[in-house]
């Protein structure tokens, strides 16, 4: 599985961004997907996950109500809509594929494939 994340950039606090992650190499609708982020000097942390069908989603408490994960299995793409962005959301955002699970996991080691990351910077 190859994952290509895009959509990062510089945005002011309170603004919005939409990240995309295009997948290839395996039937996209057969595995769960997740988004993680890593800020400078910090460990990679869970942001959101979505089941293979898109019917179940999970969020970190820090983004609940502001971020929305979705997927389009016809386009082999998962999205992360980020609204009401805060400076503490600044990080490199990674998409990941969990081949062995129908539902997304919250631990990075559960995921099998990772995208290259896209930088999100939120200015105050």
């Amino acid at each position: 599985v190859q994952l290509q994340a895009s959509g990062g950039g510089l945005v002011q606090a309170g603004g919005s961004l939409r990240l995309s992650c295009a997948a290839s190499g395996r039937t996209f609708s057969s595995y769960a997907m997740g988004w993680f982020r890593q800020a400078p000097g910090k460990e990679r942390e869970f942001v959101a996950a979505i089941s293979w069908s898109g019917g179940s989603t999970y969020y970190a408490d820090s983004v609940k109500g502001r971020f929305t994960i979705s997927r389009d299995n016809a386009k082999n793409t998962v999205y992360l809509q980020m609204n009401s962005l805060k400076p503490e959301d600044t990080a490199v955002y990674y998409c990941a594929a969990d081949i062995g699970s129908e539902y997304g996991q919250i631990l990075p080691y559960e995921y099998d494939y990772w995208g290259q990351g896209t930088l999100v910077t939120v200015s105050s």
Side-chain angles (χ1 to χ4, degrees):
V1 174
Q2 293 79 45
L3 302 174
Q4 182 71 39
S6 62
L10 174 63
V11 63
Q12 288 188 332
S16 298
L17 280 175
R18 188 176 81 155
L19 306 183
S20 299
C21 176
S24 62
R26 194 177 178 121
T27 304
F28 183 67
S29 58
S30 67
Y31 53 86
M33 293 291 296
W35 284 98
F36 290 77
R37 66 187 181 187
Q38 188 165 17
K42 295 188 176 182
E43 294 186 351
R44 192 168 297 189
E45 65 172 359
F46 171 77
V47 175
I50 188 167
S51 63
W52 61 270
S53 68
S56 297
T57 57
Y58 313 91
Y59 298 93
D61 288 343
S62 58
V63 307
K64 202 171 294 183
R66 300 188 298 122
F67 290 11
T68 302
I69 188 171
S70 62
R71 65 190 297 160
D72 185 338
N73 286 344
K75 295 183 178 179
N76 291 352
T77 302
V78 63
Y79 305 97
L80 185 68
Q81 178 66 44
M82 305 186 295
N83 299 328
S84 303
L85 282 161
K86 305 175 181 179
E88 51 263 44
D89 294 319
T90 295
V92 177
Y93 283 71
Y94 298 90
C95 57
D98 182 0
I99 302 300
S101 175
E102 178 180 349
Y103 302 98
Q105 308 290 330
I106 65 171
L107 297 174
Y109 69 78
E110 297 280 359
Y111 288 77
D112 304 285
Y113 299 94
W114 292 83
Q116 85 287 3
T118 184
L119 176 62
V120 172
T121 303
V122 184
S123 63
S124 57

